[in-house]
Amino acid sequence: MSNLCIPQEICDRIVNFLHDDPETLEQCCLVSKSWVLCTQKHIFAVVKFVIPHDLEAWKNTFPDPSNSPAHHTHTLLIYCMRGTTVADVTKGGWIQTFSSVMRFEARNVNDAVLEIFLSTFHNTIKALHMGRSCTLLLQLVNLIYPLLVLRDLSLTSCDFDPGGPLTITYSNPPPLTETLGLQVSFGMTSMVHQLLDIPSGLHFRESRLISSNFACMGRLVEACSGTLEYLELLLNWRSVPGNGSTGVVLLVRLETKCIEAKQAG
């Protein structure tokens, strides 16, 4: 009896059912060369560089960036960029091999490296989250504007230096239609001003805002009033001089006109 040959599309479909089982996917990689491509698509869908060792391990495992599975990655999280070299950020380096990223989260990443990442997948990124960083507002806005399909924007634990006057030259700003999250200590007024100046307007459906600057939060909510369905506000009373309370969270479901208030921890 001849050997039974299962069509590749059937094998791929079986592997797809294992997308959330990394251990089994790793075993599937060892079954056959024909299974490698499909399993890598799931194994490397989410890549995290949390500590310097993670970055070194990636570079040692894939010394030739052109042969790395980075093109399978749709979610990239980078919390530490120590160990990055000039070769890493130049053409042909490992950074530019992440060409299909749709969700990008960066913490403690300087503007120069961030710009290279965002320029690499400016046609694909739909969600951008920046945390624990300090950047010039001019640079941030110039980085965001070329992201043609950006829908979700989140900036947490950030301080922004307004810098000099802004000159925006992009005629097609990102759509910004899904979720806005802001937790900005310094420079909130300037940040909000630049968001409100986007020619196409703001069309977020959800918004989570943390600040003691009630006027800025009010302007953002008003700007999104035509599309906003869910609003979460943390009124940060601890930032108000002479006020020792812990703050209050307002959860507003606009489609049902429901408002829930609870004490912040």
Side-chain angles (χ1 to χ4, degrees):
M1 185 176 71
S2 61
N3 293 330
L4 177 64
C5 181
I6 301 176
Q8 185 61 43
E9 56 268 24
I10 300 298
C11 295
D12 291 347
R13 186 168 179 82
I14 294 172
V15 172
N16 287 338
F17 282 110
L18 303 171
H19 65 90
D20 57 353
D21 188 346
E23 292 185 2
T24 303
L25 285 171
E26 290 175 2
Q27 294 300 316
C28 288
C29 261
L30 305 177
V31 172
S32 169
K33 288 184 178 180
S34 63
W35 286 34
V36 171
L37 182 61
C38 187
T39 54
Q40 282 189 341
K41 180 179 69 174
H42 298 295
I43 291 174
F44 297 101
V46 179
V47 173
K48 302 178 182 179
F49 298 121
V50 179
I51 58 177
H53 173 75
D54 297 337
L55 177 54
E56 289 302 318
W58 178 273
K59 292 164 66 175
N60 291 335
T61 304
F62 308 109
D64 181 0
S66 63
N67 291 328
S68 84
H71 61 281
H72 293 303
T73 302
H74 61 67
T75 298
L76 179 62
L77 295 86
I78 298 181
Y79 299 162
C80 181
M81 287 300 296
R82 281 186 298 170
T84 303
T85 66
V86 175
D88 295 333
V89 300
T90 54
K91 186 176 181 179
W94 70 269
I95 288 180
Q96 296 192 358
T97 58
F98 288 90
S99 57
S100 304
V101 172
M102 292 186 289
R103 178 176 180 268
F104 181 54
E105 181 173 334
R107 300 180 187 176
N108 305 311
V109 177
N110 65 56
D111 290 329
V113 175
L114 182 63
E115 182 176 7
I116 294 171
F117 270 112
L118 295 183
S119 64
T120 298
F121 36 73
H122 71 280
N123 285 321
T124 61
I125 184 171
K126 296 181 179 181
L128 172 63
H129 175 84
M130 288 180 56
R132 290 202 296 273
S133 66
C134 179
T135 184
L136 287 175
L137 181 60
L138 173 62
Q139 294 168 322
L140 175 67
V141 174
N142 281 333
L143 290 177
I144 290 175
Y145 259 71
L147 306 180
L148 301 179
V149 294
L150 184 67
R151 288 166 170 76
D152 297 283
L153 175 63
S154 177
L155 308 170
T156 61
S157 302
C158 295
D159 295 330
F160 294 100
D161 180 353
L166 290 167
T167 303
I168 303 301
T169 58
Y170 301 102
S171 58
N172 297 312
L176 300 175
T177 54
E178 294 299 324
T179 303
L180 171 67
L182 289 181
Q183 181 185 347
V184 179
S185 301
F186 178 78
M188 180 71 164
T189 301
S190 298
M191 183 74 250
V192 170
H193 177 73
Q194 294 306 319
L195 287 174
L196 295 177
D197 277 352
I198 293 178
S200 58
L202 301 180
H203 307 285
F204 292 108
R205 293 190 304 107
E206 297 186 9
S207 185
R208 295 171 175 82
L209 309 175
I210 302 176
S211 178
S212 60
N213 193 326
F214 308 141
C216 282
M217 290 196 292
R219 292 178 66 194
L220 279 175
V221 172
E222 183 179 3
C224 303
S225 60
T227 56
L228 204 58
E229 299 174 2
Y230 177 83
L231 173 64
E232 182 175 324
L233 300 177
L234 173 55
L235 308 178
N236 191 4
W237 297 104
R238 284 171 291 190
S239 298
V240 179
N243 196 316
S245 60
T246 57
V248 63
V249 178
L250 297 180
L251 305 178
V252 185
R253 295 189 180 277
L254 300 180
E255 74 278 13
T256 59
K257 298 181 181 179
C258 175
I259 301 178
E260 175 187 349
K262 65 180 181 180
Q263 199 72 13

